[in-house]
Amino acid sequence: MVESAAMPISPTPPDSIILRPEDNVAVSCRDLVAGESIPVGDSEVCLSDNAPLGHKVSIVAIPAGGEIRKFGQVIGFASRDIPAGSHVHVHNCGAENFERDYAFATEPPPAPPAVTERTFKGYLRPDGRVGTRNYLGVISTVNCSASTSKYICQRIPEETLDGFPNVDGVLPLTHKSGCGMQEDGLDHEQLNRVLSGFATHPNIGGYLLVGLGCEVGQASTLIQRKNLVQVEGLSSPEGEAGGQRPPALTIQEEGGVAATIDAGIRAVLDLLPRLNAAQRTDQPLASLMLGTQCGGSDGNSGITANPALGGASDLLVAQGGTVILGETPEIYGAEHLLTRRAVSREIGEKLVERIRWWEWYSSTLGAELNNNPTPGNKAGGLSTIYEKSLGAISKGGSSALAEVYAYAEPVEQKGLVVMDTPGYDPVSLTGIVAGGANICVFTTGRGSVYGCKPVPCIKIASNTPMYERMREDMDLDAGRVLAGKPMAEVSAAIYEEIIEVASGKRTASEKQGFGEEEFAPWTIGPVL
């Protein structure tokens, strides 16, 4: 298991840290300059190269082909001889294939001890799920109706919405797909899961479907296949008492764009009073489903923000809540640590099957999984996908792996689960939210400005310089760990922030209005 380093209590950051006794690199905690020396045990190593914040330096000589270790794990292999004191990065570190011992279900941690039950203020829905926000969704079934869906939302006057204080907004959910795909094929079914997942999401109090009329992704098919109804302002599966067929408009049947906009406005105005009747009440933290994401990561993400979030994830699991770890390409190279924690061999094998699929998928399309880290990740000190993945999985904490889900599949299992999503942030979190996540935490080292309507998204900075530079976009600074702040205290701060935001506190991205453009269902292809 990848754990955070035990940082010394110090008023100023150390120059560098060595995370595990098995490591042969140290990580810089500030910009280091050639000629400086860093402590290694009882001695020192003089640096022959500059090493910016978050980058790595060798603390022993590493021969060509030798393993490079960080977090106590293999993050790559030396592409040439690396003398002690050298900057270790993409110029001398490569991601060669290596065998991982999956040891399925051999190290599942015990269930967390009983804790005093905490609550938050949420919207209890008729199906028992709990919302952290209360939006009305205008959902486009196809890109051809995207502009119409936006115009419906834009033409609801602000003064009208002011009369419904319990409604967070009228949200257009538009995308680039819905046609040009195999009917009943993989993309069609996956898009249906996404659209129905948002329509029935506990943060969506009611919704309107808007289509063109001739697309593959028909609204009528979506309603029938996913048994969509609306109940007392909440979208719910068929069979709930009082269920009604949701309003669905098609531009071709309504007589054009203008007529559809008028009909859409009437439908929205009819739904708003029902949504406004919802009230926040005390709800158990077991009703929270936390979506986790890291984007614009740097060399400190796996040392500060991600493990700090992992600690908060464990606290939520102890309350009976759910934590979703996504980004399968950013589990690659670290999956053996999760398979050991799986509650059964079957669950572990489901994760490995997804890893193998990604190997096939990327190679078939002429890509490679080590194309991730991105240029920004590399500038921040990450050299290989293995290094990035080992830091990324720490967002999930130390709980047992309870289940593995397909993209946008409804999540029903409590505890830590994996959802198979791409690493690309908007696409990944679209699937995670469709699966039911009602709150998200996003860690970043370079400074991602992501928003996630209808779900609040808390952003955690991995280093203090970036946090100070982008204060209006960040919610918390986990870079304090480098200055000696105990990891447990930072985890506790994230945990309390999750509770406050779930209860209605606005995040930095919400204050700036982010979240409408980031709805991005995954299209696997082909586009026909």
Side-chain angles (χ1 to χ4, degrees), residues 108-235:
V115 293
T116 302
E117 185 176 282
R118 297 284 301 276
T119 61
F120 72 103
K121 296 285 188 181
Y123 297 101
L124 178 62
R125 305 303 193 180
D127 64 359
R129 295 184 301 163
V130 179
T132 63
R133 296 293 185 268
N134 189 32
Y135 278 94
L136 193 158
V138 178
I139 303 173
S140 176
T141 63
V142 65
N143 182 251
C144 307
S145 62
S147 293
T148 302
S149 299
K150 285 187 176 182
Y151 295 155
I152 291 170
C153 299
Q154 291 171 358
R155 295 186 188 180
I156 304 296
E158 283 293 330
E159 55 268 25
T160 298
L161 291 177
D162 290 342
F164 302 99
N166 293 334
V167 179
D168 287 296
V170 180
L171 173 64
L173 292 166
T174 64
H175 55 93
K176 304 301 182 185
S177 185
C179 205
M181 57 186 174
Q182 181 68 41
E183 187 170 7
D184 297 329
L186 179 62
D187 274 326
H188 189 188
E189 175 54 31
Q190 187 158 279
L191 181 60
N192 279 347
R193 287 203 304 270
V194 171
L195 297 182
S196 64
F198 273 75
T200 62
H201 196 280
N203 286 13
I204 297 286
Y207 65 96
L208 166 68
L209 299 175
V210 182
L212 176 62
C214 57
E215 65 269 21
V216 171
Q218 292 282 309
S220 58
T221 302
L222 176 65
I223 293 169
Q224 181 181 20
R225 297 272 177 86
K226 297 302 180 181
N227 298 322
L228 298 184
V229 298
Q230 298 207 69
V231 184
E232 300 175 5
L234 168 78
S235 42

Side-chain angles (χ1 to χ4, degrees), residues 272-316:
L272 283 173
R274 284 185 272 169
L275 269 72
N276 195 59
Q279 300 286 330
R280 288 187 183 271
T281 56
D282 288 330
Q283 300 296 327
L285 289 192
S287 299
L288 287 182
M289 186 179 294
L290 173 65
T292 67
Q293 185 78 18
C294 51
S297 301
D298 69 351
N300 287 311
S301 292
I303 300 171
T304 61
N306 289 348
L309 173 55
S313 297
D314 287 340
L315 292 172
L316 182 58

Side-chain angles (χ1 to χ4, degrees), residues 318-378:
Q319 290 280 343
T322 304
V323 175
I324 304 174
L325 182 65
E327 307 175 271
T328 312
E330 295 177 22
I331 293 175
Y332 185 68
E335 72 274 11
H336 58 291
L337 301 179
L338 292 174
T339 58
R340 295 164 181 261
R341 289 160 48 189
V343 297
S344 69
R345 183 182 184 93
E346 177 186 14
I347 300 301
E349 288 178 340
K350 286 174 72 172
L351 177 59
V352 174
E353 185 276 330
R354 288 291 81 201
I355 293 291
R356 297 292 174 255
W357 183 89
W358 277 96
E359 290 177 330
W360 168 84
Y361 178 60
S362 58
S363 63
T364 297
L365 297 179
E368 57 178 295
L369 289 174
N370 196 49
N371 187 57
N372 187 347
T374 67
N377 296 152
K378 292 173 182 176

Side-chain angles (χ1 to χ4, degrees), residues 52 67 73 99 145 153 190 224 250-251 271 298 301 307 329 374 393 398 416-417 420 430 459 465 468 471 508 510 515:
E67 295 178 348
Q73 300 288 328
E99 292 294 323
S145 62
C153 299
Q190 187 158 279
Q224 181 181 20
T250 59
I251 296 169
L271 286 170
D298 69 351
S301 292
T374 67
I393 67 166
S398 59
L416 173 66
V417 304
D420 181 26
T430 295
K459 292 212 280 309
E468 295 293 345
R471 288 290 294 268
E510 287 181 302

